[in-house]
Amino acid sequence: MWLLDQMLKRLIRKGRLVLIDHDGREYAYGQPEAPPLTIRLTDKGAAMHIAKDPRVGAGEAYMDGRLVVEPPHDIRDFILLAMDNAKSSGGIDRKGPLRKAAEVLVSRVDQINERARASKNVVHHYDLTRQFYELFLDEDRQYTMAYFRDPANSLERAQVDKKALIAAKLRLEPGRAEGMRVLDIGCGWGGLALYLNRHFGCEVLGVSLAPDQIRFAQERAEAAGVADKVKFQLIDYRDVEGQFDRITSVGMIEHVGAPNFGEYFAKTNDLLDPDGIMLTHTIGRTGPPGTTDKWTRKYIFPGGYIPAMSELVAALEKTGWEVGDVEVLRYHYAYTLAEWYRRTTMHRDEIVALYDERLFRMWQFYLAGAEQSFRHGGMVNFHVQSVKRRSALPMTRDYMQQEWARLAALDEAPEWHLERKAAE
C-alpha cells in the first residue's frame, strides 16, 4: 500500500479521492473541501497490483472486483478524476528510458498485421454477439465517432449527421453518382454502405474481416432489396481487386498498424480511379507518434494503433497521393463514448447474462478510459481527404457544408431509443 499511497499523493491534486484498503484503513487525497469519490480495495495484493503498473493494474483490478467504486459514483467518475489529474501533473507513472524503449518495441511488434493475424485480431473484438452491440449502439450499429453538431443531440441524430458528413466529403453528387463504384473498407455492419446507396444510387462493396458483421450486412442488403447493388465480402483489403470511383475507410486504419501504412495507402491508390476521392476517418493523436497502451492491446484491440497526423501524411506522400482536405474533430468521440457507456451500464444485467460480470466491467473500463482520452488526453478524430488528381475537387470546400446540410435535412434520425427508455 505504501507505493500506491505515494503515487496517489503525487497524482491527486484536484477533487477528492478517498481510498479504503482491504483492512478498512482510509487514505485521502486532493482537496479536503471537495466532494469525495471513494474507492475500496478488496484484497491484500490489490494495491501492489495497481501500483506496479497503474494503467494495466487498475483495469485488471476493476475487472476482477479487487477495486470497487462506492456509490453514488462509478468507474467512469474515477477514471475521469484520475486522468484529469494526470493531465495536470504530467502522468500517472514515470517510465525510465529502458522501459519506454521496450514498450515501443513491443507495441511495434504487435502491429505487424499479416493476413492471418489481422483476421484473428479483428475477430477478437468484433465477433461478440449481435445482441451485445445492440444494447449500446444506435439502431444502425455505427461503431465509430458520431458527429455532434449540438452536444444535446441524441446519438441517433449524431450518427446520421456523421454519415452525411462523410458522404459530403466524398462528393457523391445526386444524379452523377449512379453507376459509381464505392469501396467501403472496414464496413462494419453495413450502415454507411446502405446509406450511400440509398441517397446516391451508387454501387458499394463493403469488406471486413469480421464474419458476423459481413453476415448481418448481407442480411440488411437483402432485406432492403439492394443486394445486387450493395455487396459485402469477408476479405482482406489487400486482396480486393478492381477500380473504384470513391473509397471510404471509417475506423479501419486503427487496425492496420503503423508499419503497414505504406502498404495500405499504396493498395488503396491502386484501387482508386484517377479522378477518384478517398476519405479516411480515424482516431488520431494530437501529438507525435506514440504507442498503444498495454491494457488496450491485451484486452480490446490487439494489433491496434492510433496514428499521428505526421504518420498518415508521410505515408500518403510516399504512395502517390495528394492531401485534399484535413479536418480535426475534437470532442465528438467523447460525447459518443459517454452515451455508449450510459447504455452499457443501463443494460448491465443483459450483458452479464450474455457473458459474465468480468466482461461487463472490462467494457465499462474500456469505454470510460477511451472517453477520458478524448476529454483530457491526446486523442481526437481526423478526416483526411486524399486524391490522385487535385482537379477532382472544387476550388473551395464550401460544397462540403452545402451537401452536408442537404443530406442532414433528408434524414430524421430514428427516436426508437426514447420509446425504449420509457419502457425501461
Side-chain angles (χ1 to χ4, degrees):
M1 184 60 211
W2 180 87
L3 190 59
L4 181 60
D5 179 51
Q6 295 303 306
M7 185 192 78
L8 292 174
K9 283 178 180 177
R10 293 194 305 270
L11 175 67
I12 306 297
R13 302 294 175 85
K14 297 190 293 183
R16 182 73 168 169
L17 177 67
V18 174
L19 185 152
I20 304 174
D21 201 3
H22 72 286
D23 57 5
R25 184 173 179 182
E26 287 193 10
Y27 301 80
Y29 310 95
Q31 300 165 304
E33 70 278 7
L37 185 155
T38 302
I39 62 174
R40 178 167 47 86
L41 304 181
T42 62
D43 68 75
K44 186 176 181 180
M48 178 55 73
H49 187 72
I50 296 169
K52 68 182 181 182
D53 192 350
R55 294 181 184 275
V56 176
E60 291 181 336
Y62 180 70
M63 288 161 58
D64 295 331
R66 304 173 76 187
L67 184 157
V68 176
V69 183
E70 299 287 357
H73 297 101
D74 66 4
I75 190 63
R76 176 175 177 268
D77 299 320
F78 173 61
I79 289 173
L80 292 176
L81 172 68
M83 299 314 294
D84 188 22
N85 274 276
K87 181 180 179 182
S88 301
S89 65
I92 290 179
D93 51 344
R94 319 277 184 180
K95 297 184 177 75
L98 289 177
R99 188 176 173 188
K100 286 181 180 178
E103 188 173 281
V104 170
L105 178 60
V106 170
S107 179
R108 289 287 166 161
V109 169
D110 189 57
Q111 295 171 47
I112 300 173
N113 288 314
E114 76 284 351
R115 283 170 173 76
R117 187 175 183 184
S119 178
K120 181 181 178 182
N121 288 341
V122 169
V123 168
H124 173 92
H125 186 83
Y126 292 101
D127 249 25
L128 296 168
T129 63
R130 296 181 185 185
Q131 296 93 328
F132 172 71
Y133 286 101
E134 286 172 352
L135 292 173
F136 70 94
L137 297 181
D138 67 298
E139 191 174 49
D140 198 39
R141 296 192 186 205
Q142 291 294 305
Y143 190 34
T144 52
M145 178 210 85
Y147 183 58
F148 283 87
R149 57 192 172 119
D150 181 345
N153 283 354
S154 69
L155 177 65
E156 282 65 29
R157 175 74 261 171
Q159 289 292 12
V160 168
D161 289 341
K162 185 267 298 291
K163 287 175 284 189
L165 183 65
I166 291 170
K169 292 183 177 185
L170 289 172
R171 205 186 171 211
L172 286 166
E173 301 170 80
R176 285 189 58 214
E178 285 197 34
M180 280 190 173
R181 296 190 72 210
V182 179
L183 175 64
D184 185 14
I185 303 177
C187 59
W189 287 276
L192 178 61
L194 291 166
Y195 177 93
L196 295 177
N197 170 263
R198 183 167 69 251
H199 285 289
F200 299 99
C202 51
E203 298 180 13
V204 188
L205 172 64
V207 299
S208 170
L209 292 174
D212 189 59
Q213 285 189 337
I214 292 296
R215 285 192 297 269
F216 186 74
Q218 289 171 337
E219 291 168 13
R220 294 182 71 185
E222 290 166 6
V226 295
D228 60 327
K229 293 284 184 102
V230 185
K231 300 178 182 180
F232 300 95
Q233 291 183 12
L234 185 69
I235 186 175
D236 192 295
Y237 79 90
R238 288 167 282 202
D239 297 322
V240 175
E241 297 179 353
Q243 283 278 291
F244 298 87
D245 300 287
R246 301 289 188 269
I247 296 177
T248 59
S249 171
V250 182
M252 160 62 186
I253 202 165
E254 299 96 321
H255 300 281
V256 169
N260 309 303
F261 287 166
E263 178 185 34
Y264 181 79
F265 285 119
K267 176 63 178 180
T268 50
N269 188 275
D270 287 343
L271 291 170
L272 190 69
D273 182 82
D275 290 313
I277 300 169
M278 177 171 172
L279 192 282
T280 301
H281 167 125
T282 178
I283 300 171
R285 300 173 185 272
T286 58
T291 60
T292 304
D293 70 274
K294 185 178 175 182
W295 188 87
T296 301
R297 292 201 313 269
K298 183 175 181 180
Y299 292 104
I300 306 297
F301 289 115
Y305 174 72
I306 306 303
M309 180 62 73
S310 58
E311 293 174 297
L312 295 177
V313 172
L316 284 162
E317 290 173 346
K318 292 174 183 176
T319 50
W321 292 96
E322 286 193 24
V323 176
D325 187 84
V326 173
E327 183 174 4
V328 179
L329 300 142
R330 294 165 295 128
Y331 291 107
H332 298 274
Y333 219 156
Y335 288 108
T336 307
L337 288 155
E339 179 61 11
W340 288 349
Y341 179 90
R342 187 190 71 79
R343 296 182 184 199
T344 294
T345 301
M346 183 173 66
H347 294 289
R348 174 192 173 278
D349 292 345
E350 295 100 310
I351 294 172
V352 172
L354 283 169
Y355 296 101
D356 54 30
E357 182 74 27
R358 192 172 192 266
L359 184 133
F360 168 74
R361 286 168 169 265
M362 180 189 79
W363 210 257
Q364 274 192 312
F365 194 85
Y366 153 55
L367 293 175
E371 180 193 347
Q372 74 77 24
S373 295
F374 289 88
R375 287 198 188 277
H376 302 303
M379 295 296 151
V380 292
N381 275 81
F382 297 146
H383 272 188
V384 181
Q385 185 194 56
S386 50
V387 295
K388 298 168 83 169
R389 292 177 181 169
R390 66 187 68 177
S391 58
L393 299 172
M395 286 289 288
T396 72
R397 69 196 307 272
D398 295 350
Y399 70 95
M400 295 181 188
Q401 185 61 30
Q402 292 165 3
E403 179 64 356
W404 175 83
R406 184 189 75 82
L407 289 168
L410 291 176
D411 272 313
E412 287 300 321
E415 297 299 333
W416 60 273
H417 68 295
L418 297 179
E419 299 173 7
R420 185 174 182 176
K421 280 195 284 187
E424 292 164 348

